[in-house]
Amino acid sequence: MTAHRTMRDSATRDDLPRVLELPEPGVPPRVARPGAGAWLALTVAEARMVARDTAGLVIPLGMPLLVLVMNGLAPGLDQVVPGTGGRTALDVYVLPLTLTMVVATVGVINMPSFLATYRRTGVLRRLGVTPASPAMVLGAQAFVGVAQILVGVALALGVAFAWRGASPPADPGAAAGVLALTITAMYAVGMLVAAVAPTPGSAVAIGLVAFFGLAALGGMFGPRENLPESLAALGGWLPFGAAVDGLGAAWAGVAVPASALVGLGTSTVLAGGAAALWFRWE
């Protein structure tokens, strides 16, 4: 008995199980960082949430396809545009518009509504006191949104190629680069919408207003040349019009306009900076 008590009294910190290990006095406790498994689980959960949201899943895929089909039925779209290496009006004008719509619906309408819902229900606040920071939700939501965009782009291109014999971009690298810039710009706008929207319903409403405003100035309802000169010029600098111009240039095999690149970059910086300034987790 005495020997046992002596051994117990002489036990040191290193003899204790790790689950009972206490930090040294004055040293803050170590926080376990989420590993790859936690990121994967959160991403899968976000994907399931998006898949269960019927409207949020169908609109980014269905509405651009509807616009593509309606424009594809118009006469004259099979005429070759001079100086584009045999590309038609469908390739140079309609496809860039369709792909931009896919990105904008996901980034400006869908993503803010999810974030506003998480903030309103306290999900982001609860995550803020756990090793799984709210930033993980942003990363998972962005990853799922990009996957949804890629599905929408592939679906639109597949329909255009199979149905109307559309041509691939003359400069695939430029097209991929402009598409990546478009995603960052639209996500920045979406984050700004999520930052200023107090409720999930208002996030959808503000997102719709932002989407249709950018789209109207960007040429979704007709050529920008039909707008007043000042509005047409503004639309070319805003992300929707800049994306259409940049993708159209990549499809035609000509240099992407500097205004398109500057417009997408500026939109990303300004909208992203404002979102970071105003966004609140709760």
Side-chain angles (χ1 to χ4, degrees), residues 118-119 124-125 134-135 138 279-282:
Y118 294 160
R119 181 173 56 202
L124 299 181
R125 183 181 67 252
L138 298 182
F279 192 86
R280 296 293 180 268
W281 298 115
E282 56 183 79

Side-chain angles (χ1 to χ4, degrees), residues 61-125:
L61 305 180
M63 188 169 69
L65 277 182
L66 178 61
V67 171
L68 174 64
V69 170
M70 292 180 64
N71 281 279
L73 295 174
L77 287 181
D78 56 350
Q79 295 180 359
V80 175
V81 179
T84 62
R87 263 63 182 180
T88 64
L90 176 70
D91 302 325
V92 177
Y93 301 122
V94 177
L95 270 180
L97 175 65
T98 303
L99 302 188
T100 302
M101 286 183 60
V102 172
V103 179
T105 50
V106 174
V108 180
I109 301 176
N110 277 14
M111 188 264 291
S113 66
F114 279 102
L115 295 184
T117 300
Y118 294 160
R119 181 173 56 202
R120 185 62 178 265
T121 56
V123 172
L124 299 181
R125 183 181 67 252

Side-chain angles (χ1 to χ4, degrees), residues 44-266:
V44 171
E46 288 295 318
R48 289 175 177 169
M49 291 288 293
V50 172
R52 291 169 182 169
D53 182 18
T54 305
L57 184 65
V58 172
I59 289 178
L61 305 180
M63 188 169 69
L65 277 182
L66 178 61
V67 171
L68 174 64
V69 170
M70 292 180 64
N71 281 279
L73 295 174
L77 287 181
D78 56 350
Q79 295 180 359
V80 175
V81 179
T84 62
R87 263 63 182 180
T88 64
L90 176 70
D91 302 325
V92 177
Y93 301 122
V94 177
L95 270 180
L97 175 65
T98 303
L99 302 188
T100 302
M101 286 183 60
V102 172
V103 179
T105 50
V106 174
V108 180
I109 301 176
N110 277 14
M111 188 264 291
S113 66
F114 279 102
L115 295 184
T117 300
Y118 294 160
R119 181 173 56 202
R120 185 62 178 265
T121 56
V123 172
L124 299 181
R125 183 181 67 252
R126 294 186 184 96
L127 286 175
V129 296
T130 69
S133 69
M136 291 181 63
V137 176
L138 298 182
Q141 184 62 225
F143 182 85
V144 173
V146 170
Q148 190 177 5
I149 288 171
L150 294 179
V151 171
V153 167
L155 184 59
L157 292 179
V159 170
F161 293 159
W163 176 47
R164 291 302 303 265
S167 301
D171 191 342
V178 172
L179 185 63
L181 284 175
T182 303
I183 292 174
T184 59
M186 294 301 182
Y187 266 52
V189 174
M191 285 297 301
L192 180 57
V193 171
V196 300
T199 64
S202 64
V204 174
I206 296 172
L208 285 171
V209 170
F211 170 79
F212 284 112
L214 294 174
L217 294 175
M220 190 175 81
F221 302 111
R224 288 207 312 270
E225 291 75 13
N226 296 340
L227 297 173
E229 184 177 353
S230 58
L231 292 180
L234 175 63
W237 289 93
L238 293 176
F240 198 101
V244 172
D245 290 346
L247 289 173
W251 241 267
V254 299
V256 177
S259 60
L261 298 177
V262 174
L264 292 172
T266 302

